[in-house]
């Protein structure tokens, strides 16, 4: 026999903060975030994080992946649950609780396109954002702080890099996320001593500066070290 609940049930949504860094021909890149331009009220025409309502027959993770693909075209990228936001009045339509996620993506090989209820989808510098709908500025700031904290002890930053990268690019990534300069010699010594990056035997091509060696992240080596109690720390 079906149950009848006497309590009102708030609506449930997911919102996703997608971070990226574009290394295509540029070393002085910055941390970027994906925003969609809403095509529906409220905040029609305004910028927001991709997301939407959770369907009754799907998990939170499935809802986040679906909304991300529907609104931006992104799929098969690093996705992690972040935090739950449930302040009263955060959505003018009704009582809405959202479970936020953050995602990391290397722009190479990922085409971004707007669809469903999104008028447009675009990358913005985290340091130069338009006004955001709902409480998405708070959601984004929370995700930024989580990313800044987590890259210190877990190599999730490699998700933002191309498959083959230079040590210069790797150092730039950490400097951007941590918002501070790192000593070149100490950084490279520490990273190479961990033995979680391997030389590919290749060098950069079609660059204006001196071509540098290319490396790749050795996840198998990292996983083995983690089982032994390895501590990744930058």
């Amino acid at each position: 026999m079906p149950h009848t609940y006497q309590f009102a049930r708030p609506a449930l949504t997911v919102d996703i903060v997608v971070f990226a860094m574009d290394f295509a021909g540029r070393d002085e890149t910055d941390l970027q975030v994906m925003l969609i331009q809403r095509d529906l009220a409220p905040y029609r025409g305004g910028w927001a994080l991709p997301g939407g309502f959770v369907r009754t027959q799907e998990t939170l993770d499935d809802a986040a992946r679906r909304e991300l693909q529907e609104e931006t075209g992104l799929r098969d990228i690093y996705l992690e649950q972040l935090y739950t936001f449930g302040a009263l009045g955060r959505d003018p339509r009704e009582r809405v609780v959202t479970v936020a996620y953050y995602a990391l993506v290397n722009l190479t090989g990922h085409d971004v396109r707007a669809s469903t209820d999104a008028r447009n989808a675009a990358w913005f510098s985290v340091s130069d954002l338009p006004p955001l709908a709902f409480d998405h500025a708070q959601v984004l700031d929370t995700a930024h702080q989580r990313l800044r904290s987590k890259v210190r002890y877990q190599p999730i930053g490699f998700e933002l890099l191309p498959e083959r990268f230079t040590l210069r690019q790797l150092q730039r990534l950490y400097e951007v996320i941590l918002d501070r300069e790192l000593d070149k010699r100490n950084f490279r010594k520490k990273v190479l001593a961990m033995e979680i990056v391997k030389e590919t035997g290749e060098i950069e091509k079609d660059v204006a500066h001196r071509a540098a060696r290319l490396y790749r992240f050795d996840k198998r080596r990292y996983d083995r070290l983690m089982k032994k109690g390895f501590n990744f720390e930058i």
Side-chain angles (χ1 to χ4, degrees):
M1 180 177 179
H3 293 283
T4 300
Y5 293 94
Q6 60 177 317
F7 302 104
R9 285 172 288 176
L12 181 64
T13 62
V14 289
D15 289 303
I16 308 100
V17 183
V18 187
F19 290 117
M21 291 184 70
D22 185 4
F23 288 98
R26 295 186 302 165
D27 290 329
E28 296 304 316
T29 187
D30 56 4
L31 186 64
Q32 300 178 60
V33 65
M34 164 63 60
L35 298 178
I36 58 103
Q37 190 173 28
R38 291 179 57 80
D39 202 28
L40 300 174
Y43 303 103
R44 185 173 183 176
W47 291 94
L49 299 171
F53 288 91
V54 178
R55 297 171 180 171
T56 55
Q57 300 300 319
E58 66 182 350
T59 66
L60 291 172
D61 289 358
D62 287 343
R65 294 189 185 97
R66 174 182 56 78
E67 286 290 345
L68 191 59
Q69 183 175 351
E70 286 181 354
E71 293 196 341
T72 69
L74 293 172
R75 59 185 301 176
D76 299 327
I77 63 176
Y78 180 92
L79 187 69
E80 182 178 325
Q81 194 172 123
L82 173 66
Y83 193 75
T84 300
F85 295 83
L88 297 175
R90 60 173 302 275
D91 191 314
R93 293 169 292 189
E94 58 181 319
R95 179 78 168 96
V96 177
V97 174
T98 193
V99 179
Y101 286 75
Y102 74 99
L104 306 176
V105 61
N106 164 36
L107 294 185
T108 303
H110 291 283
D111 295 325
V112 174
R113 65 181 186 277
S115 58
T116 63
D117 59 352
R119 182 184 303 177
N120 190 16
W123 294 102
F124 288 81
S125 169
V126 170
S127 61
D128 187 21
L129 296 170
L132 300 183
F134 307 105
D135 57 353
H136 288 184
Q138 180 186 359
V139 176
L140 196 158
D141 183 65
T142 301
H144 193 187
Q145 295 304 319
R146 172 71 66 84
L147 175 63
R148 182 172 291 174
S149 173
K150 196 162 186 176
V151 294
R152 296 175 182 269
Y153 63 87
Q154 190 173 332
I156 61 172
F158 287 94
E159 300 286 348
L160 297 167
L161 289 165
E163 183 179 355
R164 292 172 174 80
F165 53 86
T166 67
L167 294 182
R168 181 181 63 255
Q169 290 173 326
L170 179 61
Q171 179 174 339
R172 177 60 183 166
L173 179 145
Y174 278 91
E175 288 179 333
V176 168
I177 294 176
L178 298 176
D179 194 25
R180 62 182 175 89
E181 290 187 7
L182 300 172
D183 181 80
K184 178 179 177 180
R185 180 177 298 179
N186 289 340
F187 177 83
R188 296 191 175 195
K189 180 179 179 181
K190 182 178 291 187
V191 168
L192 294 176
M194 292 178 188
E195 298 183 345
I196 60 171
V197 297
K198 295 181 64 174
E199 283 194 51
T200 65
E202 303 173 50
I203 61 172
E204 289 180 294
K205 296 180 180 179
D206 301 322
V207 292
H209 51 74
R210 180 181 177 183
R213 297 176 182 177
L214 292 173
Y215 293 77
R216 65 174 178 84
F217 176 53
D218 190 344
K219 187 176 187 303
R220 185 174 299 178
R221 164 72 175 170
Y222 172 74
D223 289 341
R224 288 200 302 267
L225 290 173
M226 284 297 290
K227 291 179 180 179
K228 298 179 181 179
F230 171 73
N231 181 31
F232 178 88
E233 184 179 352
I234 293 295

